[in-house]
Amino acid sequence: MSKQSLNTKIVHNKIDQSEATNSKATPIYQTSAFTFKDLDHLESYYEGNVPYLYTRENNPNTNELGQAVANLEEAPAGVASSSGISAIMAGILSVVEAGDHIVAAEDLYGGTHQLIAKQLASFGIEHSIVDFSNEKAIKEAIRTNTKLLYTESITNPFLRVEDLEKLVSIAKQYNLKTMVDNTFATPYLLQPFKKGVDLVAHSATKYIGGHSDVTSGIVVGHRDLITIANQKVIGLGTNLSPFEAWLTQRGLKTLGLRIKQQSYNAHYVAEKLMNNEWIKKVYYPQYVSERGNGAIVTIELDHNINIDTFFKSLDWIKIAPTLAGVETTASYPISTSHRALTDSERKQIGINDSVIRLSIGIEEASDIVEQLVTAINAAK
Ligand SMILES: *Cc1c(COP(=O)(O)O)cnc(C)c1O
């Protein structure tokens, strides 16, 4: 096989070889288990010669999805699970156990912050949350029991682009593992594993699936770590259903086209909004990749803008506590993704009641700007 570029690999993600039918698309293996013709056949599963036994452990659709995303990240192995959060949990638990310590970035997705600060803490896993743009702060937080540095390649909602080379070099110096949530960037824009990151997680609910019709997650990385992550998914029962894996895989095929258009639109929207006198600040990253800078634009409205009226006037731009669909949506971090944070935690990262996160879709870019400006004008 000749070497495939990313756009080709994204589309040719079919691994399943259902030779019985030669189906073009992978069938949905909507089954809880697999059958065996005799005891020798059953035994051969445990010898590694038959691939499937029981869907919580192993299923063609979930395997295909995990492997497809691993291929795009150029990592040797991947495992799909029931949500982004469960994929992140499986990844973290492949490195740390009770008594170990994680150093995590302060501007993480709210649910991940909760996972680390509450859920994993209740299992005896310790953590420090620090400003990852400050190298000294990271190093000062490292203890003798620290095992993992955890961050996001593009953070939420202010879109800070993590310096992954720097992070990997700190980790090497202290003999730590690194894990990066690559949800906002997707492998189309960034491939952290290629930069030396050990584990890369995705909320496939977002761009990988891309159509707001599925909740799923994936973690990819070194084979030894993914083997443990897979045991966590099986043992904690956070496996993904075959149908949801199939839907995610179907969405994945258009990742390249979608991100290209959404990045183009986001850039257009960010530029237009920068010139609007009722917008205090526009956050949109630069230089994420030569393929684009992603599709999230965060704005801070002038404090004279009535937020309720603004949201009510958005019309076809729906309020949605998610991102990454093909439709443009608006979210209000203070009451959704960052609701669980304390006032001082929110203040620390700069979230106030004028901050709005826009997830830009594939509509005509000028229509998106027009609708946003209409809502601003109605609310001033
Ligand atoms: C949505 C999201 C998650 C959580 O994913 P779920 O699929 O909702 O579990 C984690 N990280 C980031 C950056 C997200 O946007």
Side-chain angles (χ1 to χ4, degrees):
M1 191 170 77
S2 60
K3 196 174 179 317
Q4 291 182 334
S5 59
L6 189 63
N7 273 315
T8 308
K9 273 202 267 186
I10 287 171
V11 179
H12 290 272
N13 61 18
K14 185 171 186 283
I15 294 158
D16 178 68
Q17 303 290 346
S18 26
E19 281 173 1
T21 59
N22 284 321
S23 69
K24 185 165 186 286
T26 301
I28 307 170
Y29 292 85
Q30 191 65 30
T31 181
S32 63
F34 299 81
T35 59
F36 297 86
K37 59 179 186 277
D38 55 36
L39 294 178
D40 284 345
H41 189 201
L42 175 62
E43 207 50 35
S44 62
Y45 171 81
Y46 294 98
E47 288 160 1
N49 300 322
V50 166
Y52 306 109
L53 175 82
Y54 189 62
T55 282
R56 179 161 54 77
E57 298 197 3
N58 216 347
N59 175 284
N61 296 109
T62 51
N63 282 4
E64 188 173 78
L65 177 62
Q67 192 53 53
V69 175
N71 290 347
L72 299 182
E73 293 278 3
E74 296 190 30
V79 58
S81 75
S82 60
S83 65
I85 284 296
S86 69
I88 292 165
M89 178 175 74
I92 290 177
L93 293 177
S94 75
V95 177
V96 304
E97 55 186 33
D100 291 339
H101 176 251
I102 304 168
V103 179
E106 70 183 0
D107 42 4
L108 293 182
Y109 172 78
T112 306
H113 179 273
Q114 289 299 300
L115 172 72
I116 292 172
K118 278 226 170 88
Q119 308 306 334
L120 296 181
S122 78
F123 294 161
I125 293 165
E126 300 168 14
H127 66 276
S128 300
I129 308 273
V130 301
D131 173 5
F132 266 40
S133 63
N134 179 348
E135 181 169 348
K136 194 160 156 272
I138 300 175
K139 288 182 172 172
E140 280 173 3
I142 294 170
R143 307 178 190 161
T144 51
N145 59 339
T146 304
K147 293 280 162 60
L148 180 69
L149 301 181
Y150 184 94
T151 190
E152 295 171 4
S153 50
I154 303 178
T155 66
N156 175 27
F158 293 119
L159 312 169
R160 185 176 63 81
V161 181
E162 191 66 81
D163 183 344
L164 297 177
E165 278 90 356
K166 189 185 78 190
L167 196 72
V168 168
S169 94
I170 298 171
K172 288 225 164 83
Q173 199 181 329
Y174 292 86
N175 200 20
L176 310 174
K177 300 281 191 234
T178 48
M179 179 165 172
V180 169
D181 178 335
N182 200 29
T183 299
F184 275 37
T186 83
Y188 186 75
L189 299 178
L190 281 179
Q191 294 154 305
F193 187 80
K194 283 167 75 179
K195 299 187 180 202
V197 168
D198 298 293
L199 290 160
V200 179
H202 287 277
S203 169
T205 312
K206 314 294 169 50
Y207 292 106
I208 302 269
H211 294 74
S212 316
D213 53 10
V214 65
T215 298
S216 58
I218 293 144
V219 58
V220 308
H222 295 295
R223 192 170 296 281
D224 56 338
L225 295 178
I226 295 302
T227 299
I228 304 172
N230 193 26
Q231 287 162 4
K232 302 295 174 189
V233 170
I234 296 168
L236 296 169
T238 60
N239 55 293
L240 182 62
S241 83
F243 179 54
E244 306 247 320
W246 182 89
L247 269 179
T248 308
Q249 177 79 339
R250 184 167 88 145
L252 176 62
K253 290 187 187 189
T254 55
L255 180 76
L257 281 178
R258 285 186 283 108
I259 302 297
K260 197 169 161 186
Q261 187 65 35
Q262 287 174 276
S263 289
Y264 170 85
N265 284 359
H267 180 89
Y268 181 94
V269 169
E271 284 214 322
K272 295 285 181 200
L273 296 186
M274 266 170 210
N275 300 321
N276 189 301
E277 58 178 324
W278 296 96
I279 297 181
K280 202 169 152 194
K281 200 154 182 206
V282 174
Y283 298 86
Y284 187 65
Q286 283 181 300
Y287 317 118
V288 172
S289 115
E290 71 274 13
R291 291 199 181 88
N293 297 312
I296 305 296
V297 178
T298 297
I299 57 176
E300 184 175 346
L301 292 170
D302 186 290
H303 68 268
N304 290 312
I305 295 283
N306 183 305
I307 294 289
D308 279 328
T309 312
F310 172 80
F311 275 111
K312 277 187 187 131
S313 310
L314 280 174
D315 194 17
W316 54 266
I317 298 178
K318 301 295 180 211
I319 305 171
T322 186
L323 59 114
V326 289
E327 309 91 352
T328 297
T329 54
S331 88
Y332 196 39
I334 200 168
S335 63
T336 53
S337 57
H338 293 72
R339 189 183 190 107
L341 270 59
T342 63
D343 280 344
S344 74
E345 283 171 332
R346 274 197 293 259
K347 199 160 176 207
Q348 170 79 13
I349 45 181
I351 292 170
N352 62 42
D353 58 8
S354 294
V355 170
I356 290 159
R357 191 190 68 201
L358 301 167
S359 169
I360 305 299
I362 62 171
E363 303 95 340
E364 193 64 41
S366 55
D367 288 352
I368 303 169
V369 171
E370 209 177 299
Q371 186 55 56
L372 290 168
V373 171
T374 301
I376 290 169
N377 289 342
K380 70 190 183 196

